[in-house]
């Protein structure tokens, strides 16, 4: 047990310090009557609870349907003078709960939860992801996405208040630079 707690303490402080919290994942309310069809297309990342893997600017994602019924996720970002993209797959494991999506960027990694907490489909989406680690602590991510590279401050406040209302700590939130991007 001591070894385990030392291991976890170092894991938390080294890797996930800002996005891990004690206890199991919270269970936030999700978008009622979520329509995947209306959600598809391009979303720009306005802000996120930090993730270690995306450090670029102009971050966007394009969701589209594949013929096999899975969702193609094409993430793009500008990093070190280059546009880089990564293709992933999203699925809706339970059609009765369509706002609970799973996303994976590799055949070798499990699907991570992708919960659409709220969206109006036309301006803003608030997305949350949480993974339990041994039910002792959890690792969480959150994203504020927008259909445009700029989100009006009052809409951003709405997204922030929604996350705060679910007890999610926004102090590690970072804004994504969406200026000087190449538009296609
Ligand atoms: C969800 O859709 C059903 C059927 O269309 C409707 O009766 C219900 O009011 C909707 N709920 C919300 C929260 O929009
Ligand atoms: C998103 O991907 C689909 C499917 O590849 C493509 O048809 C569409 O043009 C893309 N949209 C944007 C905005 O890049």
């Amino acid at each position: 047990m001591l070894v385990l707690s030392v291991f976890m303490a170092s894991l938390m402080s080294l890797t996930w310090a800002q996005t891990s919290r004690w206890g199991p994942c919270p269970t936030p309310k999700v978008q009622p009557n979520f329509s995947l069809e209306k959600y598809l297309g391009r979303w720009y990342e306005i802000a996120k609870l930090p993730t270690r893997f995306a450090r670029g600017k102009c971050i966007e994602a394009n969701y589209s349907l594949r013929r096999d019924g899975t969702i193609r996720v094409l993430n793009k970002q500008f990093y070190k003078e280059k546009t880089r993209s990564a293709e992933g797959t999203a699925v809706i494991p339970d059609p009765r709960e369509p706002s609970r999506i799973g996303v994976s960027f590799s055949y070798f990694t499990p699907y991570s939860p992708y919960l659409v907490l709220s969206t109006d489909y036309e301006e803003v989406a608030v997305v949350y992801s949480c993974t339990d680690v041994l039910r002792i602590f959890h690792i969480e991510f959150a994203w504020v996405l927008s259909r445009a590279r700029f989100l009006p401050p009052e809409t951003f406040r709405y997204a922030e208040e929604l996350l705060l209302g679910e007890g999610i700590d926004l102090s590690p939130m970072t804004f994504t630079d969406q200026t000087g991007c190449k538009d296609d």
Side-chain angles (χ1 to χ4, degrees), residues 42 60 62-64 72 184:
R42 188 181 342 204
E60 60 180 75
N62 179 6
Y63 303 93
S64 56
R72 174 178 183 254
D184 44 45

Side-chain angles (χ1 to χ4, degrees), residues 67-143:
R67 260 169 226 189
D68 65 2
T70 62
I71 304 153
R72 174 178 183 254
V73 182
L74 190 64
N75 280 356
K76 271 205 277 183
Q77 65 168 322
F78 192 77
Y79 179 59
K80 289 194 176 162
E81 312 301 315
K82 270 196 189 135
T83 299
R84 295 159 200 270
S85 55
E87 186 171 336
T89 294
V91 293
I92 294 175
D94 183 351
R96 288 167 305 176
E97 291 195 280
S99 53
R100 295 177 187 275
I101 301 171
V103 180
S104 170
F105 279 91
S106 149
Y107 288 114
F108 306 106
T109 57
Y111 284 91
S112 303
Y114 178 113
L115 304 186
V116 182
L117 301 192
S118 175
T119 185
D120 58 3
Y121 307 101
E122 285 168 9
E123 186 177 28
V124 66
V126 183
V127 175
Y128 178 68
S129 176
C130 185
T131 304
D132 273 315
V133 179
L134 307 172
R135 313 264 318 151
I136 295 170
F137 67 95
H138 59 272
I139 297 163
E140 66 186 1
F141 304 102
W143 293 268

Side-chain angles (χ1 to χ4, degrees), residues 146-177:
S146 165
R147 288 296 193 188
R149 290 197 195 271
F150 169 80
L151 194 61
E154 61 273 19
T155 313
F156 185 72
R157 265 197 305 278
Y158 157 80
E160 268 188 326
E161 272 158 26
L162 190 127
L163 289 165
L164 286 171
E166 295 292 353
I168 296 157
D169 174 17
L170 295 188
S171 50
M173 192 145 221
T174 54
F175 285 90
T176 306
D177 186 359

